[in-house]
Every structure is written in structure tokens, then in C-alpha cells.
Amino acid sequence: MLTIQEYVKAESLEQAYELNQKKTNRIIGGMLWMKMSPLNIRTAIDLSGLGLDKIEETPEEFRIGCMVSLRQLELHPGLAAYTQGSMKESVRHIVGVQFRNLATVGGSIFGRFGFSDVLTEFMALGAEVELFQGGRMSLEEFSRRNYDNDILVRVILKKFPQDSVYLSMRNTQTDFPVLTCAVTRREEKVCAVIGARPARAVAIYDEADLLKNGVTDASARAFADYVAEHVVTGSNKRAQAQYRTHLVKVLTRRACQGLGGEAK
Ligand SMILES: Cc1cc2nc3c(=O)[nH]c(=O)nc-3n(C[C@H](O)[C@H](O)[C@H](O)COP(=O)(O)OP(=O)(O)OC[C@H]3O[C@@H](n4cnc5c(N)ncnc54)[C@H](O)[C@@H]3O)c2cc1C
């Protein structure tokens, strides 16, 4: 059972950061993941009073505060238009609406869970994170880092002209994914991010220019094979590595075929 001795509603990020330096204290997001472990937390640090529950859209970028819920991501018209629906597709299978009303972007990205739909989607879109102490860096770099006591303040999504498609495979509708796959095309370069391998998501770029002359059935298959060769998969109770590698090929091909249109 999770126990919390004290609760502090932070008045500033400085205060939250200082409190978070003590190992027994913890930042809380929606607490949905946290409550699953038998933690004994000295002070729970709540960021909900700091105005970080907004998605700010400018002509250049989206600034997504760490307390934004997954449901907000799902319903935001600007994100829907910019991502051609892939943002909504990436979160809509996560448990249920009430759950998505509580789960936060901060908890989802800082957690860097292997199974994360959210990490897969944002990484493929070329997102950056802003950390209170560590400053800005690409999400791809952040995803490779070890856990520390920093605070994820927001996620920044630059509005590059890009196409994106998100697909996942689940054994049952709202279960954790067996595999996640987000494919984007930016400045004519295609990138596939594969998550739930079951390890953390990885980005594979079309370094071999297999899609340089456009997406055809043959080029989509060639890129899907290339991605499968470069992605290490593993087994867990949801699926075997071999099946996951098969899914890498199928989902990557379908996502490529869906670029600039509906996923097939
Ligand atoms: C039953 C269940 C099913 C799920 N299924 C899926 C799924 O299918 N796909 C998917 O993508 N996700 C899934 N998730 C994960 C979920 O979507 C959230 O990502 C997860 O609950 C974390 O978000 P939270 O707001 O609850 O964070 P919390 O549980 O509050 O926090 C998680 C961790 O992040 C830290 N943290 C939180 N916010 C910050 C911050 N701003 N800065 C620094 N550290 C911070 C906390 O200290 C904690 O260590 C599932 C979770 C559960 C419990």
C-alpha cells in the first residue's frame, strides 16, 4: 500500500525542486502509476497550483504543461489538426476516460515506461522536454537518461511541417500495448518509433533512404523490414519476441502507407 506522511501544494517550481531533492519525497502527477507500488512517501509534492495544466499553442509550437491530462491531449483541436489525429489515436486506448482525465503528461513522460504510448508518440513527433534543472533537450535524449530528482516542467512540440501516423497492437482493447508504432515524415525523412518492445521506445530513421522516392507498397515493406532489423524485441507475458518483431513489420508498413492519409 502507498503511504504519504505529508502533502505540500508547491507555491513555486523552486520550492518543488528543493523538496524533491530528498529521496523520500516525491512529485505527484495523477498518482495512477505511483499508487500501484507500496511506497512510503515522506512528502508528496503537488504541482497543480502552478498553472502547468495548460496546452499553449502559438504559430511556432505547442507548450504542454506537465499537469496536462491525457484526456486534454486527446481532445485538443490544435493537436488533432497538427498530428492528423495521431495524438488522439495514441492515447484513446489507455484504460478509460476517467483514467485519462487523471493521468498526466508529466507522470507519463518522466516515468519513461517501456509500454508507453505517450512516449512513443511524442518521440516520433520530435518533441523536446523542459526540465527545471536540466533545461531543454530532445525527448529522444531524455528517454535514454537514468531517473533523477529533476522536475519535468513541460513538453514542447515544435510545429515542423510533418505527417504522422500512430498504431498500436493490444491483446484486448484497454490492456497495455503489445507493441506501439509511430511513424513521422519530416523534411522528407521518415522515422519510426517502436515502443512496448517491451523495453523503452527507440527511434529508427530511414538512413538507407528507402522511402526517398515516396511510399509504395514495396518501399513501405522495405522500410518495415529495415526497422525490424534494427529494433531489439523481447518477451513477456503479453507476447514473445518473435511475434513482436512480426508486429514491427506489420505496423510500420501500415503506418507508412497511412502517411498523409488514413492508416490502412
Ligand atoms: C493500470 C494502468 C494501465 C496503464 N495503461 C497504459 C497504457 O496502455 N498506455 C500508456 O501509455 N500508459 C499506460 N499507463 C500509464 C499511465 O498512462 C500514466 O503514464 C501513469 O499513470 C503515470 O502518470 P500519472 O500522472 O499517474 O503519474 P504518477 O503516478 O503520479 O507519477 C509517476 C512517476 O512520475 C513522477 N512524476 C510525475 N510528474 C512528474 C513531473 N512533472 N516531474 C518529475 N517527476 C514526475 C512521479 O514522482 C512518479 O515517480 C497505465 C497505468 C496504469 C496504472
Side-chain angles (χ1 to χ4, degrees):
M1 191 180 69
L2 169 77
T3 55
I4 295 175
Q5 290 171 44
E6 275 178 44
Y7 163 87
V8 172
K9 187 163 180 177
E11 286 174 10
S12 66
L13 279 169
E14 288 77 9
Q15 183 201 11
Y17 179 78
E18 237 166 70
L19 284 169
N20 201 36
Q21 297 321 293
K22 200 163 176 198
K23 270 200 168 147
T24 47
N25 296 352
R26 291 291 275 274
I27 302 283
I28 52 172
M31 284 193 62
L32 295 159
W33 188 255
M34 206 184 249
K35 74 171 185 196
M36 309 273 283
S37 359
L39 291 171
N40 186 2
I41 297 175
R42 171 96 192 120
T43 304
I45 311 154
D46 180 5
L47 306 178
S48 68
L50 303 178
L52 293 166
D53 58 348
K54 294 178 188 65
I55 301 176
E56 297 163 87
E57 182 178 1
T58 69
E60 293 81 36
E61 63 189 19
F62 294 93
R63 293 164 66 79
I64 302 168
C66 63
M67 292 303 286
V68 164
S69 70
L70 301 188
R71 184 70 173 157
Q72 282 172 271
L73 294 181
E74 186 178 352
L75 297 180
H76 194 274
L79 281 175
Y82 175 63
T83 65
Q84 296 138 10
S86 71
M87 182 62 74
K88 178 176 181 168
E89 181 57 29
S90 72
V91 294
R92 77 182 176 96
H93 300 284
I94 303 177
V95 187
V97 171
Q98 288 160 317
F99 183 98
R100 298 196 294 278
N101 272 329
L102 292 174
T104 63
V105 169
S108 301
I109 299 286
F110 196 86
R112 285 160 279 184
F113 309 114
F115 56 75
S116 182
D117 292 282
V118 185
L119 184 64
T120 305
E121 168 72 352
F122 274 111
M123 205 194 282
L125 291 169
E128 287 177 51
V129 294
E130 183 184 320
L131 302 165
F132 178 75
Q133 183 65 27
R136 271 172 79 152
M137 70 184 72
S138 73
L139 178 55
E140 210 180 320
E141 184 187 339
F142 179 67
S143 74
R144 290 192 289 261
R145 292 200 165 193
N146 294 328
Y147 296 108
D148 61 15
N149 289 357
D150 211 341
I151 295 179
L152 191 147
V153 180
R154 55 177 64 85
V155 175
I156 295 133
L157 204 51
K158 286 253 174 251
K159 286 185 177 172
F160 313 106
Q162 64 178 326
D163 298 316
S164 67
V165 174
Y166 187 89
L167 296 172
S168 65
M169 164 65 198
R170 288 168 150 81
N171 290 334
T172 57
Q173 212 16 280
T174 56
D175 192 12
F176 289 98
V178 170
L179 198 88
T180 62
C181 170
V183 172
T184 48
R185 180 170 50 203
R186 227 175 4 256
E187 291 170 354
E188 298 309 311
K189 253 294 186 260
V190 174
C191 162
V193 174
I194 306 293
R197 314 178 277 125
R200 266 183 207 168
V202 282
I204 309 294
Y205 293 85
D206 181 16
E207 301 295 357
D209 284 334
L210 296 164
L211 296 166
K212 195 175 158 200
N213 297 320
V215 178
T216 60
D217 187 53
S219 66
R221 279 176 198 278
F223 181 59
D225 288 345
Y226 175 84
V227 174
E229 276 164 30
H230 289 81
V231 168
V232 178
T233 57
S235 304
N236 64 4
K237 66 179 177 187
R238 285 189 172 73
Q240 295 288 313
Q242 206 184 356
Y243 177 55
R244 283 196 163 91
T245 296
H246 174 70
L247 287 177
V248 172
K249 291 185 193 176
V250 174
L251 296 191
T252 305
R253 173 177 56 78
R254 288 183 186 167
C256 287
Q257 289 169 338
L259 282 175
E262 289 297 309
K264 307 271 183 316

